[in-house]
Amino acid sequence: RGAFIAQRDLRDFEQHLAAFTGARYALGVSNATDGLHIALRAAGIGPGDEVIFCSHTMVATAAAIHFAGATPVPVECGPDHLMDPAAAAAAVTPRTRAIMPTQLNGRTCDMDALQAIADKYGLLIIEDAAQALGSRFKGRQAGTFGIAGAISFYPAKTLGCLGDGGAVLTNDEDMRRKMFLLRDHGRDESGEVVMWGLNTRLDNLQAAILDYKLARYDQEIARRREIASLYQKLLQDVGELVLPPAPDSDPDHFDIYQNYEIEAERRDDLRAYLNEHGIGTLIQWGGKAVHQFEKLGFKVSLPYTERMFTRCLMLPMNRSLSNEDVEYVCQTIRQFYGYR
Ligand SMILES: *Cc1c(COP(=O)(O)O)cnc(C)c1O
């Protein structure tokens, strides 16, 4: 149809995504990083402002804050690997304007705790929900708590397209309007340029592919939760490991297991052993929290997060795994630590 940019398929997908997440508005963008960037700009955050983020995240979270002109302030994660609310509260200064929690590994933060901090100090919440489409806290979906949230459709995400893609969610009409303009050269529906804007659109073709996949997305989540249950069942007695929260361990959380991130004693030896047995694993972000990338100039130490990064490891988690594959992974881990 020659429908390349901002055509019907994009509008359909945006509607279906809004309905799926329960957000009032969803807007397709080029990628989640740009989504976070335009959300910050639309919220009026810029030079002189500080934004608190959890250092266990992709550099993209901090980069979005940086390119909005504000200062990214990294804080510790907690035992569930998500932003530690106490650390976030302790990092608030008179310049703090917002908290940007990452809904990491497909799990949503305790948003009551973060909202209480935001209320107390008059801060905005903008969620990095890049890894968390469909994840819920107390029944509400990741990306819909704050003034805006960004989702990623990078191919390795739970809902991946065939290239780069993302979306921003918001319940706020003014935010929707500003982000709509910011993503397309500041142009309104008639083509009139009403402000300075960027070019950060989701391609129509990618939107059509995503729309097709979104209709089947519940199966993706269900299978990932099944695999997580199997890992839990087969590894829970291994004392050398800390497993992520099990799928039904807490009624407040519904996790979608973008990743299955464990902590392990003798992590590097375990990883080498698994590799020798044909099992690929990953360490998130190349093995460093954001504040540990020296060239970025952060001058903090976050001991809890740094120790966690000597221990964390992601086990295989995707829909191509059979139950036998998962059993083989678990059996190999058990062998390594000397369990039957
Ligand atoms: C993937 C990811 C991003 C970036 O998403 P893009 O769509 O590639 O820009 C940001 N934050 C987190 C936590 C991610 O996992």
Side-chain angles (χ1 to χ4, degrees):
R1 285 184 271 121
F4 297 116
I5 301 284
Q7 299 299 309
R8 189 181 73 213
D9 308 273
L10 176 64
R11 291 190 291 275
D12 287 351
F13 173 61
E14 289 175 338
Q15 267 184 15
H16 295 151
L17 185 65
F20 177 83
T21 57
R24 257 176 95 189
Y25 309 108
L27 290 172
V29 290
S30 306
N31 55 70
T33 312
D34 281 1
L36 292 171
H37 178 196
I38 65 169
L40 286 158
R41 281 186 181 261
I45 291 169
D49 298 334
E50 292 177 0
V51 179
I52 294 168
F53 73 100
C54 178
S55 199
H56 183 6
T57 187
M58 190 180 181
V59 68
T61 321
I65 299 165
H66 172 83
F67 281 108
T71 304
V73 177
V75 299
E76 297 268 28
C77 64
D80 65 355
H81 297 186
L82 275 59
M83 179 181 276
D84 175 2
V92 175
T93 76
R95 290 150 74 106
T96 308
R97 285 284 313 283
I99 305 175
M100 185 175 275
T102 296
Q103 315 294 22
L104 192 75
N105 296 330
R107 180 176 173 87
T108 306
C109 295
D110 176 346
M111 294 307 292
D112 287 348
L114 296 182
Q115 191 61 55
I117 298 164
D119 290 346
K120 181 167 174 194
Y121 298 103
L123 310 176
L124 299 173
I125 291 178
I126 297 175
E127 292 165 73
D128 180 342
Q131 295 195 355
L133 178 63
S135 166
R136 301 197 289 268
F137 175 72
K138 294 193 173 170
R140 191 160 160 185
Q141 286 213 21
T144 70
F145 288 89
I147 189 153
I151 308 278
S152 175
F153 307 123
Y154 181 81
K157 307 294 195 214
T158 48
L159 184 69
C161 61
L162 306 186
D164 278 307
V168 284
L169 307 176
T170 185
N171 296 318
D172 184 286
E173 164 56 26
D174 185 51
M175 282 292 287
R176 186 206 70 86
R177 182 74 189 155
K178 287 189 179 133
M179 294 192 292
F180 178 89
L181 296 168
L182 278 167
R183 78 166 172 183
D184 185 32
H185 304 290
R187 293 183 297 198
D188 71 10
E189 289 81 353
S190 71
E192 175 74 9
V193 176
V194 296
M195 65 186 285
W196 293 107
L198 302 163
N199 174 2
T200 176
R201 300 172 301 224
L202 178 66
D203 289 345
N204 202 65
L205 188 60
Q206 298 294 356
I209 291 161
L210 286 163
D211 204 32
Y212 176 88
K213 291 181 81 175
L214 182 64
R216 294 149 184 83
Y217 184 57
D218 283 338
Q219 296 162 30
E220 173 78 35
I221 296 176
R223 179 58 186 155
R224 284 171 179 268
R225 286 171 58 82
E226 236 169 61
I227 292 170
S229 295
L230 202 52
Y231 275 133
Q232 174 73 24
K233 185 174 136 215
L234 299 174
L235 294 174
Q236 58 187 352
D237 62 320
V238 178
E240 288 84 350
L241 302 179
V242 180
L243 303 180
D248 296 309
S249 57
D250 180 345
D252 286 347
H253 288 270
F254 180 86
D255 300 351
I256 60 147
Y257 297 92
Q258 160 71 55
N259 306 308
Y260 195 80
E261 188 175 58
I262 65 168
E263 291 181 42
E265 309 267 306
R266 294 191 284 134
R267 190 260 325 259
D268 293 337
D269 293 343
L270 171 64
R271 191 172 188 216
Y273 186 80
L274 292 175
N275 192 44
E276 280 162 28
H277 289 79
I279 299 164
T281 56
L282 290 168
I283 302 173
Q284 216 155 193
W285 327 125
K288 287 182 187 180
V290 173
H291 75 284
Q292 293 179 288
F293 290 108
E294 279 168 28
K295 292 278 159 81
L296 298 183
F298 289 104
K299 295 199 168 49
V300 286
S301 91
L302 300 173
Y304 187 91
T305 303
E306 287 159 27
R307 175 170 183 273
M308 202 279 298
F309 266 91
T310 65
R311 293 166 47 81
C312 59
L313 185 69
M314 299 198 300
L315 300 183
M317 171 56 83
N318 61 70
R319 269 184 90 184
S320 74
L321 293 169
S322 66
N323 287 0
E324 291 69 36
D325 293 336
V326 178
E327 282 156 15
Y328 174 68
V329 173
C330 294
Q331 199 47 49
T332 311
I333 292 172
R334 298 181 71 86
Q335 254 166 35
F336 174 78
Y337 288 117
Y339 290 74
R340 293 191 53 217

